[in-house]
Amino acid sequence: MEYLKPPEFKLSEIYDKILMGITKKKEVDGTVYRLFDEYHKLLPCLLEAESDYYSFAEDNKVYLIEERSRMSQVIDSDDMKWLYTQKFLKTGRGFYDKLRARPKNSICPYCGKRDVYELDHYLSKSDYPQYAVTPANLIPCCHICNHKKLSKKVHGISDLVLNPYFDDINTGQWLFCTFEVQYEALIPVYYFNFGELVDEQMQKKVCSHFEILELKTAYAEWAGRLIYIYLPSWKKIFYDCGKDSLLDELGMNEQSFSEKQGYINSYERAFYQGIRNYFLENNLHEIFEMLA
């Protein structure tokens, strides 16, 4: 899971451009309002909310932010959703594209595997309309992670996934992979070993991240495909050059991920580390015969 620096621009720098061209009107209790004026009046409130967002996120307490259904007498959550879908995604398309392009190699920072496709509202725009167009609340991600996360109210840290802008959890390795033999196949099993690397609150957040996005299952599937793809070449190295050569090859694969800060807890690093240890501790003749 990749750590991303928070966006280099804040709401005050893009809001006027988002509002450009709004001619829509809204009637409330018999009075007709110009939404351009009403959105413009909201800016101080939105900037205060943005400041609060940074403060809570930096302290890992986003779950304490209060939900809202209305922003003013005129503007409600539906109006803020309209502002995002009809203006931010169109008038402010350049800002959308800048945010979407932040991850290295366009890989989703939530799962670390699939391609970035869209932006996710870390706090949903339905329940937290004050952050509908706040850059720091917009996370580049793949469609599947966005769908699995869905829009949900946040009652505690167990309702949250990791926030790539504020949760740097790559200070050390806590994701590992071991293997079980089932039906004459090697089954990858991912697990956590946090030690003292992250505090108890962040451990809960990592666990909820994996549960909400179903990453242990996804990682096991992706790792299983790696076994299927590379098994023939592993066999060839072993039978032609010996066990040590195969272990060296797997060690180099692991090292390529270990040397990159954002990949310390990638599913690939844990996989290559785990498969190397498994091959080291077991009889490869028996394993490769079983996997024939």
Side-chain angles (χ1 to χ4, degrees):
M1 284 137 289
E2 181 182 354
Y3 170 71
L4 306 174
K5 290 183 179 179
E8 66 275 13
F9 52 86
K10 292 189 176 181
L11 184 59
S12 60
E13 301 169 59
I14 68 174
Y15 198 62
D16 285 344
K17 186 168 184 179
I18 295 173
L19 298 187
M20 287 176 58
I22 294 180
T23 60
K24 187 178 180 183
K25 297 179 181 180
K26 182 178 180 179
E27 183 177 340
V28 178
D29 297 330
T31 302
V32 177
Y33 298 87
R34 295 176 67 238
L35 284 187
F36 177 87
D37 296 334
E38 299 306 313
Y39 283 129
H40 195 269
K41 292 176 185 177
L42 276 183
L43 182 56
C45 174
L46 296 178
L47 295 183
E48 182 180 359
E50 181 181 53
S51 178
D52 290 342
Y53 187 97
Y54 272 83
S55 297
F56 280 115
E58 288 167 356
D59 290 338
N60 194 25
K61 294 180 179 179
V62 167
Y63 56 88
L64 294 179
I65 294 177
E66 294 183 1
E67 305 159 25
R68 300 183 68 164
S69 59
R70 303 194 65 84
M71 297 302 301
S72 69
Q73 178 186 359
V74 178
I75 303 296
D76 57 23
S77 61
D78 287 337
D79 296 313
M80 294 305 293
K81 286 190 282 186
W82 182 89
L83 185 63
Y84 176 78
T85 57
Q86 298 301 317
K87 300 302 295 181
F88 186 87
L89 291 181
K90 296 177 180 179
T91 305
R93 186 71 195 190
F95 302 118
Y96 179 97
D97 291 339
K98 284 183 179 179
L99 292 172
R100 196 173 65 166
R102 294 184 68 77
K104 301 184 186 77
N105 300 319
S106 296
I107 300 300
C108 174
Y110 281 153
C111 66
K113 168 68 174 177
R114 293 177 287 254
D115 292 339
V116 168
Y117 182 75
E118 57 205 13
L119 296 182
D120 166 56
H121 284 79
Y122 187 75
L123 294 180
S124 75
K125 55 186 179 294
S126 297
D127 298 311
Y128 304 87
Q130 66 268 41
Y131 300 119
V133 291
T134 301
N137 190 50
L138 301 174
I139 310 295
C141 68
C142 67
H143 179 70
I144 292 177
C145 281
N146 198 5
H147 177 73
K148 288 184 180 297
K149 181 174 171 286
L150 296 176
S151 297
K152 64 181 301 183
K153 295 181 180 180
V154 176
H155 301 293
I157 201 164
S158 61
D159 296 318
L160 292 169
V161 298
L162 294 167
N163 189 323
Y165 294 144
F166 298 97
D167 296 331
D168 185 2
I169 47 151
N170 288 315
T171 55
Q173 184 182 6
W174 43 261
L175 180 66
F176 297 88
C177 181
T178 188
F179 293 84
E180 297 177 354
V181 176
Q182 296 180 17
Y183 306 108
E184 297 186 343
L186 280 182
I187 306 300
V189 178
Y190 282 84
Y191 66 97
F192 308 130
N193 185 359
F194 294 108
E196 298 181 357
L197 292 172
V198 293
D199 60 31
E200 185 176 350
Q201 283 285 86
M202 192 58 69
Q203 290 181 28
K204 291 180 180 178
K205 202 170 185 180
V206 170
C207 292
S208 67
H209 181 91
F210 272 72
E211 181 177 350
I212 292 169
L213 301 180
E214 301 177 357
L215 287 184
K216 283 188 177 180
T217 299
Y219 284 3
E221 291 175 353
W222 297 336
R225 291 175 193 152
L226 291 178
I227 294 175
Y228 175 79
I229 292 169
Y230 292 111
L231 183 60
S233 63
W234 292 344
K235 287 182 177 180
K236 181 172 177 55
I237 293 172
F238 172 67
Y239 289 119
D240 290 351
C241 305
K243 184 173 183 175
D244 288 343
S245 294
L246 176 56
L247 296 178
D248 289 343
E249 175 74 14
L250 295 172
M252 287 188 291
N253 290 333
E254 177 199 340
Q255 190 64 25
S256 66
F257 292 99
S258 300
E259 292 174 350
K260 298 178 181 179
Q261 181 69 11
Y263 291 88
I264 290 176
N265 289 295
S266 67
Y267 88 92
E268 296 102 329
R269 183 202 182 184
F271 168 78
Y272 283 115
Q273 185 184 69
I275 197 70
R276 184 185 184 279
N277 290 337
Y278 187 83
F279 285 171
L280 175 65
E281 297 169 359
N282 289 275
N283 186 311
L284 286 185
H285 287 286
E286 294 179 356
I287 291 174
F288 288 150
E289 286 181 10
M290 177 192 69
L291 299 176

